[in-house]
Amino acid sequence: DSVAKSFLGTPGSDYFNKLCPGYFLIGSCENGHRFSKEIYCGREWCPTCGAKWSEAHQRKFSRWLPKVQQMRQLGYFVIEWPLASRFPLRSRAALEDAGKMVKQVLSGEWEISLRRQRGERISRQRDEDIRAWWFPAGLRRWHFFGDLVKELGEGMKSLAWVDKASESSPGGQGDRYNPHVNVLVPYGFITRGKFRRIKRALRAALQEPDLIVHYGYTREPARMVHALKYVTRATFLDGMWAPDVAASIYNFHNSQVWGRWDGEPAWSLDDLEGKPELADLPDSLAVESLESGICPRCGKPIDWAGPFPIKNLEGMEKQDLGAGYCELEQVRAPPGMKAVMMLRAAGYHGPVEIQTEIREDRGERRWKAGSGSAPSAAGQDRHGELPPRLATYQGP
Ligand SMILES: [Zn+2]
Ligand SMILES: [Zn+2]
């Protein structure tokens, strides 16, 4: 079975060989709305998380969906390195640096700082103008594997690709390490001249004269949803494909978002009525809200308790929201009782140590169990979204 599958002779290692999901959290707002959240490791080669349209995949999708829904057009860059230059990208630090640099170039920051370095004075207006020429908002995420020729020609053929004849890097087949950055921007058709300038800047900034850049776009919501699913999916499906990279990207922040995303939605999921893309979507609004720690029912902050062993979730009265979230029965608890009630609700009666933190000055009550860092870590596209250490929970 997949859980027992040992990886690189490291049985017992939490990182490579772990039941997923092993635990869940219970969250509640001050109005007594209650939710459960399964804790997923988020590692791409996890048999659970790496699966197509897994809960981990749906969470990544849901976090970005409200932003993509603000796009009237969606532009999709794929930036890949030639075979000869992939070796330096086998470390977490190098991937992080390259990812940040891509964002700096595409946001216009790189051009502004370059001009400043050359002694040019950049007024506020000029700064804005430069950024406006580039992409003031965007989302980016690494894929580690994939044959780009196949991906763009088959998986993403529904987008209109600029520069069709453009070359692709060879040697991206199957399990060959082929790191590439995916970027989504609210933009449509790009002229040849603009595309050339973007490519030049990326090549200079990343110091890779043979960098390969693809760009496609669409204004169809169904195709945007498809592209978003595609970009947020896992590609590092087996740690054995590149064990050194797998070990290096522990806790890697795979994605980055920039710009303002407070605009009105340009389209809604209702526009997908009858389209296959709509069929398997989670309750994305609820999931996105819960991912950022906000009650989807009333908008109040959610306090998360746990982790609790996953088997205790089975017996609970709940309604599935998708992506590993459920809504639980509403409970009104007197202050201070919440923690105890949640533990009971989770079917947990063993020895539990709850660290209570009372902030009377602000009338704010926070409490946490164990070294609970899960709620904050859970909001990120992070490799190794690990549950908090379970030292305080010895199991029932
Ligand atoms: Zn997992
Ligand atoms: Zn609420």
Side-chain angles (χ1 to χ4, degrees), residues 314-367:
E314 283 164 26
M316 297 175 76
E317 195 73 37
K318 57 187 180 294
Q319 201 194 330
D320 192 13
L321 299 172
Y325 285 96
C326 291
E327 180 157 13
L328 304 174
E329 267 182 300
Q330 192 172 341
V331 169
R332 267 251 172 238
M337 275 301 288
K338 223 196 251 174
V340 177
M341 292 185 63
M342 281 179 188
L343 291 168
R344 294 238 175 97
Y348 193 83
H349 302 284
V352 172
E353 184 189 312
I354 293 166
Q355 300 162 11
T356 307
E357 206 179 67
I358 295 169
R359 294 211 204 149
E360 299 194 344
D361 52 333
R362 285 203 266 152
E364 187 187 335
R365 192 176 50 83
R366 295 177 57 210
W367 63 278

Side-chain angles (χ1 to χ4, degrees), residues 62-339:
S62 299
R63 283 201 290 270
W64 278 11
L65 181 64
K67 297 176 177 68
V68 170
Q69 282 184 288
Q70 290 170 36
M71 300 183 185
R72 294 187 182 287
Q73 309 181 83
L74 171 142
Y76 178 15
F77 284 99
V78 182
I79 299 156
E80 57 172 328
W81 276 255
L83 189 54
S85 304
R86 288 180 207 159
F87 187 75
L89 284 170
R90 296 185 80 97
S91 80
R92 171 181 156 174
L95 289 164
E96 276 171 357
D97 288 350
K100 281 180 197 152
M101 187 54 87
V102 165
K103 178 251 168 178
Q104 277 175 337
V105 171
L106 293 180
S107 65
E109 287 163 25
W110 181 78
E111 182 181 338
I112 291 165
S113 75
L114 194 71
R115 286 178 182 278
R116 286 215 170 99
Q117 275 168 33
R118 287 173 182 163
E120 198 175 317
R121 277 193 53 136
I122 308 278
S123 67
R124 178 178 288 204
Q125 184 58 50
R126 181 80 179 113
D127 183 288
E128 276 175 31
D129 292 345
I130 293 173
R131 287 174 197 269
W133 188 91
W134 290 92
F135 306 94
L139 309 146
R140 70 141 182 92
R141 187 167 191 277
W142 283 100
H143 282 171
F144 302 95
F145 291 87
D147 179 345
L148 267 295
V149 177
K150 214 168 140 191
E151 288 190 18
L152 305 184
E154 293 170 24
M156 290 309 308
K157 69 168 183 294
S158 63
L159 265 60
W161 292 93
V162 169
D163 211 3
K164 269 221 174 74
S166 121
E167 75 286 31
S168 190
S169 189
Q173 293 81 27
D175 57 0
R176 200 131 179 212
Y177 186 55
N178 185 19
H180 48 284
V181 183
N182 300 273
V183 186
L184 300 179
V185 291
Y187 208 84
F189 172 74
I190 279 183
T191 61
R192 204 156 271 271
K194 180 163 183 149
F195 187 53
R196 261 201 301 271
R197 194 175 149 195
I198 292 167
K199 228 188 318 195
R200 252 200 325 267
L202 285 167
R203 286 174 170 174
L206 292 158
Q207 296 174 30
E208 176 46 71
D210 298 319
L211 194 76
I212 300 154
V213 182
H214 308 273
Y215 179 80
Y217 61 96
T218 182
R219 36 172 74 241
E220 288 279 328
R223 289 174 183 179
M224 295 188 199
V225 166
H226 179 69
L228 180 57
K229 282 183 185 178
Y230 207 76
V231 169
T232 50
R233 85 198 200 285
T235 58
F236 204 147
L237 301 181
D238 189 334
M240 291 291 262
W241 287 348
D244 56 319
V245 182
S248 180
I249 61 171
Y250 176 77
N251 227 7
F252 174 57
H253 289 247
N254 189 359
S255 63
Q256 191 179 13
V257 173
W258 76 88
R260 289 168 63 105
W261 296 96
D262 49 8
E264 289 296 309
W267 52 273
S268 86
L269 292 176
D270 298 339
D271 300 341
L272 302 183
E273 197 73 57
K275 298 253 167 72
E277 285 82 0
L278 186 63
D280 53 358
L281 293 190
D283 185 340
S284 280
L285 276 181
V287 171
E288 198 269 334
S289 178
L290 287 163
E291 281 284 290
S292 40
I294 300 298
C295 175
R297 293 261 164 263
C298 67
K300 297 280 185 193
I302 286 189
D303 276 330
W304 294 100
F308 309 108
I310 196 74
K311 64 176 181 330
N312 293 328
L313 185 57
E314 283 164 26
M316 297 175 76
E317 195 73 37
K318 57 187 180 294
Q319 201 194 330
D320 192 13
L321 299 172
Y325 285 96
C326 291
E327 180 157 13
L328 304 174
E329 267 182 300
Q330 192 172 341
V331 169
R332 267 251 172 238
M337 275 301 288
K338 223 196 251 174

